[in-house]
């Protein structure tokens, strides 16, 4: 599932504004919270989460992604992105998205 503009995340805490870009494994989106503040959300690509080619490594990719979030959360530097929140979004099958 690709996220679309207007879609809500985290029980309506954030609303997708637009896709900013994508890389090897991830996609970034511009979102707004209920107070109108802008944030960036990063998620793993659908191809990584859904393709059979990546099935054997999917859990590892999720763990690595979460570990990256934790490492960044403790860093404080003006040239390093600050982590506000980490959430797991489940698809309709109850799998992490």
């Amino acid at each position: 599932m690709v996220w679309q503009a207007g879609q809500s995340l985290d029980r309506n805490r954030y609303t997708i504004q637009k896709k900013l870009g994508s890389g090897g494994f991830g996609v970034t989106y511009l979102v707004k919270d209920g107070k109108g503040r802008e944030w960036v959300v990063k998620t793993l690509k659908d191809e990584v989460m859904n393709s059979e080619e990546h099935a054997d490594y999917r859990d590892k990719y999720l763990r690595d992604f979460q570990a990256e979030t934790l490492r960044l959360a403790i860093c404080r530097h003006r040239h390093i992105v600050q982590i506000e929140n980490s959430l797991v979004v489940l698809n309709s099958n109850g799998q992490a998205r």
Side-chain angles (χ1 to χ4, degrees), residues 54-71:
H54 297 286
D56 292 341
Y57 301 100
R58 193 167 295 125
D59 288 340
K60 180 190 180 319
Y61 296 151
L62 282 168
R63 284 192 309 272
D64 289 351
F65 192 80
Q66 291 169 337
E68 175 186 6
T69 302
L70 292 173
R71 284 191 302 272

Side-chain angles (χ1 to χ4, degrees), residues 53-93:
E53 176 185 350
H54 297 286
D56 292 341
Y57 301 100
R58 193 167 295 125
D59 288 340
K60 180 190 180 319
Y61 296 151
L62 282 168
R63 284 192 309 272
D64 289 351
F65 192 80
Q66 291 169 337
E68 175 186 6
T69 302
L70 292 173
R71 284 191 302 272
L72 285 171
I74 62 172
C75 293
R76 295 287 179 257
H77 190 276
R78 62 188 174 131
H79 296 295
I80 297 175
V81 65
Q82 295 298 294
I83 303 295
E84 166 70 15
N85 194 4
S86 176
L87 57 110
V88 176
V89 177
L90 303 178
N91 65 18
S92 58
N93 297 326

Side-chain angles (χ1 to χ4, degrees), residues 6-76:
Q7 182 176 347
S8 294
L9 299 175
D10 198 24
R11 290 169 274 171
N12 298 320
R13 183 173 181 181
Y14 304 103
T15 303
I16 301 289
Q17 300 301 300
K18 66 179 181 178
K19 179 179 170 181
L20 294 174
S22 62
F25 288 93
V27 181
T28 56
Y29 295 90
L30 178 66
V31 301
K32 280 190 179 178
D33 66 13
K35 296 179 181 178
R37 295 177 296 189
E38 292 184 328
W39 302 93
V40 174
V41 171
K42 182 178 178 183
T43 185
L44 289 171
K45 283 184 171 180
D46 278 347
E47 303 90 83
V48 172
M49 296 306 298
N50 298 322
S51 77
E52 289 302 316
E53 176 185 350
H54 297 286
D56 292 341
Y57 301 100
R58 193 167 295 125
D59 288 340
K60 180 190 180 319
Y61 296 151
L62 282 168
R63 284 192 309 272
D64 289 351
F65 192 80
Q66 291 169 337
E68 175 186 6
T69 302
L70 292 173
R71 284 191 302 272
L72 285 171
I74 62 172
C75 293
R76 295 287 179 257

